[in-house]
Amino acid sequence: MDFFHLKENKDKRKSVSGSPKLGPAKPAKLEIGIESPPLVLYGPMASSTGALLSGQLILTVSDEEVKLQHFEMQLLARTTTKKPVSKDCPDCRTHTTELFKWNFLSELGRFPKGRHSFPFSYLLPGKLPATTNATLGAVDYVLSAKATTPLQDNIVVESSLKVYRALLPGNDRTSLRIFPPTNLTATIILPPVIHPIGEFNVQMRVSGCAENEGTSQRRWRIRKMNSRIEEHTKMISPPCPKHVHKVGGEGKGILSTETRVLGIKDYKDGWKSDFDTQGGLIEMEFSASIKPSSNPICDVDAPTGLSITHNLVLELIVAEEIVSLKNTKLVTPTGTARVLRMQFVLILTERSGLGISWDEEQPPMYDDVPASPPSYAKMVDYEGEPLPDDELARLT
């Protein structure tokens, strides 16, 4: 029995010694509360007026009193590359830029027990890139607050901000492609912007697909069409000052690229062919979309090196044939086929919804002013007999 009792005591001492040690409780804590609506940058980077950020930094003191020597908050922009110049160097992996800084104390401050709020606001510039998390790099924004006591005890808090960019829709874009040495010409009509969720229509018109040669006609027929949406990511990873020599000097970096297919579809019919018109005409309208499971990323062109673009790629397989004008059922394939490949730029952006830019908001206009309260009748002095005391008390 003594042996088992001794073993049990050793196990208890081991569990007590192995438990984590809790540090001293902080005299206060910090919280960041955002009061502004979602941070949406409307319009392109060159003309966007930015987004308003506002909120409160809350200091909750748990002791009877706390003294603070420094009290500040920073708005930071962080660019992280997934393929840094030096794999084990944190400075090569993450580059931080301070966008703004708030200093809430100019001298030693004393704060009693309770909650103390410090309002803050900032206008995010419209040229900032949106928050992005791609496979090759990431751009994010952080509010970092720190309070320091005279004993150099730091109280810190961080809060992430998500910044969006929304481009307003406009007129459709028309693109023209020519395929020499043939007479084939393709006209494509695309929407100005597309969105991560939802379909968009594409109109295609192919002309120059028929040519009369005496009693016969030489035609180009579409046998198959393929459409796909590609996402191209490019990241230039700059080095930190310690590893500049690895890339051959300042101002250089490592270029990484990646291409993903966000949506693909094959078509074997759906177009209308009209070979009776001059030059022949083939028309088609179809819908394209992005697979939700592909996790698409909106277009980004960050000055820190991250760039994301999107393309619509169309591939048409056309075959040549000769048809007798006397008997159109008499078709002779020539054995000649071509692949017509076209590539168009797509602009992928968030939906703007019903939101508008902060500078276009107006306060309410009070056009209809209600009638004023009724005015009192003309007052005159009482000149009659003295009133009794109970009547005077009732009037007063």
Side-chain angles (χ1 to χ4, degrees):
M1 292 294 292
D2 293 339
F3 171 75
F4 291 103
H5 182 70
L6 179 61
K7 183 178 181 181
E8 182 180 356
N9 291 338
K10 287 183 179 180
D11 293 341
K12 286 183 178 180
R13 287 197 302 268
K14 184 183 296 184
S15 62
V16 171
S17 62
S19 60
K21 294 183 180 180
L22 298 177
K26 298 286 186 181
K29 69 174 183 178
L30 291 173
E31 295 176 288
I32 298 177
I34 304 299
E35 299 175 346
S36 55
L39 302 174
V40 182
L41 305 174
Y42 292 98
M45 299 176 67
S47 59
S48 177
T49 56
L52 283 174
L53 167 68
S54 62
Q56 292 193 15
L57 178 60
I58 301 174
L59 173 67
T60 304
V61 180
S62 55
D63 292 352
E64 293 300 324
E65 185 184 62
V66 66
K67 297 179 182 180
L68 296 180
Q69 188 173 5
H70 300 286
F71 191 18
E72 63 184 23
M73 185 172 66
Q74 295 174 298
L75 175 58
L76 305 176
R78 295 176 179 171
T79 302
T80 304
T81 174
K82 307 299 177 65
K83 295 184 178 181
V85 175
S86 180
K87 182 176 63 175
D88 300 326
C89 179
D91 294 334
C92 288
R93 183 176 296 275
T94 303
H95 296 264
T96 304
T97 303
E98 181 185 286
L99 299 179
F100 196 76
K101 185 177 182 179
W102 294 269
N103 288 313
F104 298 105
L105 285 181
S106 58
E107 57 184 11
L108 183 66
R110 300 172 181 267
F111 299 93
K113 185 176 182 179
R115 289 167 59 91
H116 308 271
S117 62
F118 300 86
F120 62 88
S121 63
Y122 179 66
L123 176 60
L124 291 172
K127 63 181 181 180
L128 292 178
T131 301
T132 307
N133 186 13
T135 55
L136 296 180
V139 176
D140 62 328
Y141 300 91
V142 177
L143 283 173
S144 178
K146 181 174 71 172
T148 306
T149 65
L151 299 178
Q152 301 303 314
D153 187 12
N154 294 327
I155 306 170
V156 297
V157 66
E158 284 192 353
S159 178
S160 299
L161 296 176
K162 194 153 188 180
V163 179
Y164 304 90
R165 181 172 297 279
L167 301 181
L168 302 179
N171 298 326
D172 290 342
R173 296 182 294 118
T174 302
S175 301
L176 182 66
R177 297 291 187 271
I178 302 174
F179 302 95
T182 66
N183 295 326
L184 293 173
T185 302
T187 304
I188 308 296
I189 300 177
L190 295 169
V193 295
I194 64 171
H195 308 288
I197 299 177
E199 297 182 344
F200 61 94
N201 292 329
V202 181
Q203 300 178 26
M204 182 184 67
R205 185 184 303 111
V206 180
S207 59
C209 51
E211 183 180 359
N212 293 334
E213 298 177 347
T215 59
S216 62
Q217 187 182 62
R218 188 178 297 270
R219 300 175 179 177
W220 290 98
R221 282 190 179 273
I222 299 178
R223 298 302 183 187
K224 182 180 178 183
M225 190 187 77
N226 171 271
S227 71
R228 66 178 182 270
I229 301 174
E230 296 180 345
E231 181 181 273
H232 302 276
T233 305
K234 181 178 69 174
M235 182 69 193
I236 301 177
S237 304
C240 69
K242 296 180 181 178
H243 301 97
V244 172
H245 62 279
K246 288 190 174 184
V247 295
E250 296 184 1
K252 298 181 179 180
I254 297 178
L255 175 63
S256 303
T257 59
E258 183 190 53
T259 299
R260 294 195 303 151
V261 176
L262 304 182
I264 187 170
K265 191 173 183 180
D266 292 328
Y267 301 87
K268 294 185 178 180
D269 52 21
W271 47 81
K272 298 179 181 179
S273 301
D274 183 8
F275 297 109
D276 295 332
T277 60
Q278 182 67 29
L281 184 65
I282 301 176
E283 293 181 320
M284 182 181 183
E285 183 173 353
F286 60 94
S287 297
S289 62
I290 297 175
K291 294 186 299 183
S293 60
S294 61
N295 296 322
I297 303 173
C298 294
D299 282 31
V300 172
D301 187 12
T304 51
L306 179 62
S307 174
I308 299 177
T309 58
H310 298 83
N311 290 332
L312 172 66
V313 180
L314 299 179
E315 291 183 351
L316 279 70
I317 300 178
V318 295
E320 188 183 42
E321 61 186 21
I322 297 177
V323 180
S324 174
L325 295 178
K326 297 180 180 180
N327 185 6
T328 57
K329 295 183 179 180
L330 184 59
V331 180
T332 305
T334 64
T336 303
R338 291 180 179 273
V339 178
L340 310 182
R341 190 176 188 273
M342 298 170 282
Q343 185 170 307
F344 307 93
V345 176
L346 294 177
I347 300 177
L348 182 63
T349 179
E350 297 286 351
R351 295 184 181 272
S352 59
L354 299 177
I356 60 175
S357 180
W358 67 272
D359 58 328
E360 296 181 359
E361 295 181 357
Q362 293 184 7
M365 303 294 292
Y366 300 99
D367 296 328
D368 300 328
V369 179
S372 302
S375 59
Y376 292 101
K378 185 178 180 181
M379 300 179 65
V380 296
D381 295 335
Y382 179 73
E383 297 178 353
E385 296 181 357
L387 297 175
D389 294 339
D390 56 348
E391 186 69 15
L392 289 174
R394 187 182 66 84
L395 294 175
T396 56

